[in-house]
Amino acid sequence: MEIIYLFIKNFKSLKSQNINFGSEHRFEYSEKTNELKTIKNELYIQDFYNINNLGARVLNVSSIIGKNGTGKSTILEFIKRNFSSGLNLQDEMILVIKENNIYKIISTIDLKYDTDLFKDNFELYIKKEPKKEEDFFFDFGFELRGLNKTDII
């Protein structure tokens, strides 16, 4: 499983942040048009991190780089808060993951999306924000308690 993209609507100092983690596709969500757009990443190199045939498979390596106070630790805190095993999503977001060559768009925001690049290789899960403030967890109607096969340190 590979985290491809994350849109954070509002978490601490992060407001309307599009974060791409490196993939053959780049994503951008526009709050004005309420649309998630995708473009092909022309700089992507297939199997770039797999330099031998010894069985190890590295899907992606991402870095979060920036000056002090720009939100690097806050992004990691957001990921830990929402994707740790045993927890449901707690904040408004759009998440794109890739698992077994299938793109999964998981969103707490009702959005429009472009599926031309994905053909039949995508699944969509949308659950709007809770109607009551006391609703702490997002109930997606399916089991999403942390991201499968993801270690969080």
Side-chain angles (χ1 to χ4, degrees):
M1 194 267 316
E2 179 181 6
I3 298 174
I4 304 290
Y5 166 80
L6 177 62
F7 172 80
I8 300 172
K9 183 166 182 162
N10 185 8
F11 180 73
K12 295 189 175 187
S13 63
L14 301 174
K15 312 286 187 235
S16 301
Q17 293 293 307
N18 286 284
I19 305 166
N20 282 280
F21 291 97
S23 161
E24 58 195 305
H25 302 288
R26 295 188 50 78
F27 293 81
E28 185 171 338
Y29 175 70
S30 168
E31 289 186 281
K32 289 182 181 180
T33 63
N34 196 37
E35 187 173 6
L36 180 64
K37 294 189 177 194
T38 60
I39 59 168
K40 189 146 179 77
N41 182 358
E42 299 299 331
L43 299 176
Y44 178 75
I45 301 171
Q46 181 77 30
D47 294 325
F48 180 78
Y49 295 103
N50 297 305
I51 58 173
N52 59 42
N53 294 324
L54 298 178
R57 180 114 165 84
V58 177
L59 296 175
N60 199 346
V61 175
S62 298
S63 317
I64 301 175
I65 301 169
K67 293 181 180 180
N68 289 344
T70 57
K72 299 178 301 293
S73 297
T74 306
I75 291 169
L76 295 175
E77 185 180 340
F78 182 90
I79 290 170
K80 183 178 125 187
R81 173 181 159 97
N82 286 280
F83 307 144
S84 294
S85 180
L87 298 177
N88 280 324
L89 302 181
Q90 299 179 44
D91 298 289
E92 291 184 86
M93 74 180 75
I94 300 168
L95 173 69
V96 178
I97 60 175
K98 185 177 178 184
E99 188 171 20
N100 299 325
N101 245 6
I102 295 176
Y103 288 87
K104 296 181 181 182
I105 302 170
I106 301 164
S107 178
T108 61
I109 300 165
D110 195 14
L111 55 87
K112 299 177 218 164
Y113 52 92
D114 173 19
T115 59
D116 290 341
L117 288 174
F118 306 127
K119 309 283 186 250
D120 295 326
N121 296 340
F122 90 102
E123 298 172 6
L124 176 69
Y125 305 98
I126 294 179
K127 177 65 177 180
K128 295 179 191 175
E129 61 186 286
K131 294 181 176 155
K132 303 177 209 160
E133 286 216 14
E134 58 267 13
D135 292 342
F136 187 70
F137 293 111
F138 290 93
D139 177 12
F140 280 84
F142 62 90
E143 189 65 22
L144 180 68
R145 301 184 67 76
L147 294 177
N148 191 22
K149 298 179 185 173
T150 301
D151 293 326
I152 295 184
I153 298 173

